Amino acid sequence: MGVQFKIVEEVLRRCFCEKQFFRILLVCQNNYLSLQEIQTKNKETMKKVLLDIHTHTIASGHGYSTIQEMAHAAAEKGLQVLGITEHGPSVVGTCPLTYFRNMFVVPRQMYGIRLLMGCEVNILDTKGTLDLDDRTLDILDIAIASIHRNCWKGGTKEENTEGVKAVISHPKIHIIGHPGDGTAELDFEALVLAAKESHTLLEVNNHSLAPERKKTVARDNNLEILRLCKKHDVPVILGSDAHISFQIADYERIMPLLTETDFPDELIMNYWPDKFLEYLGI
Ligand SMILES: [Zn+2]
Ligand SMILES: [Zn+2]
């Protein structure tokens, strides 16, 4: 029994008669033990986050850490795999094409973690046009494709969905970034089924859920994506979308959504690095 419990016991002894004291003590002991049991069980069953794939460094123009700072922070958090995915050329202020073409100089092991060097490519229109050519896509270890308001020419819900489905089936695209952020209206069930067929992952993005981003539909959209992935047995990836090292593997805003949907751990790729790499053929 801990020191805190001893203090409580002493207070109770002073406040109640002997009979009442023992009755209360028994209840307290039972609760104390069951609380400890619950905590131990939680620790045993809690899965450890081992990867974060969607992050940005200073090279993206509005990030604040270097690759080394990011890798160091990832290692400190106990990750095994870190993705560095700078914005594609259509985002103002990001790195030039030569940045991606020179990435062979970056060691893929740093501070004991595996580094995947990639890009968050922009989906430009309802045809699924990307802002990175195939030659450059070929160089990347990992490619996320996302819709960003400033460089997106959208259409109807059906047209948008067809565009994203085309990207899902693109052999060089591994992940669709923040499909639930509300920038484009999308048919999520169609995307989940297409993602299942192509072994492409849909991301649930922590950054979109930040109140500062004012993406009011992001919560409901991501809940819908999670429910559909659970229904169709399709894995997802959680993305921090970190723009500074401190945000790496921060999924704090996603966790309540996982609880609300009772989402299975087995379908969260961040817990299973080997499965993640195998699923995407990396
Ligand atoms: Zn950004
Ligand atoms: Zn993005």
Side-chain angles (χ1 to χ4, degrees), residues 1 32 89 99 114 139 157 166 170 182 185 199 210 235 250 257-258 276 279:
M1 234 22 90
Y32 181 79
Y99 172 92
R114 178 166 177 189
I139 299 168
K157 182 176 178 176
H170 192 301
E185 217 190 332
H199 273 215
D250 177 2
L257 278 58
L258 298 176
F276 165 80
Y279 191 78

Side-chain angles (χ1 to χ4, degrees), residues 54-57 60-63 85-87 91 120 148 178 207 213 241-243:
H54 187 167
T55 74
H56 300 270
T57 75
S60 275
H62 54 274
T85 50
E86 311 298 1
H87 284 291
V91 167
E120 185 184 10
H148 292 115
H178 46 76
H207 194 43
R213 311 270 327 273
D241 206 349
H243 283 67

Side-chain angles (χ1 to χ4, degrees), residues 18-28:
E18 200 165 341
K19 198 172 164 189
Q20 284 173 318
F21 166 73
F22 279 112
R23 194 179 299 150
I24 293 166
L25 185 66
L26 195 67
V27 172
C28 288

Side-chain angles (χ1 to χ4, degrees), residues 52-57 60 70-71 74 79 82-87 115-116 118-120 144 203 239-245 247-249 251:
D52 189 7
I53 297 305
H54 187 167
T55 74
H56 300 270
T57 75
S60 275
M70 299 290 275
L79 299 197
L82 174 70
I84 303 278
T85 50
E86 311 298 1
H87 284 291
L115 211 58
L116 297 177
C119 176
E120 185 184 10
I144 301 174
E203 179 198 54
S240 72
D241 206 349
H243 283 67
I244 191 163
S245 59
Q247 292 178 329
I248 286 176
Y251 304 132

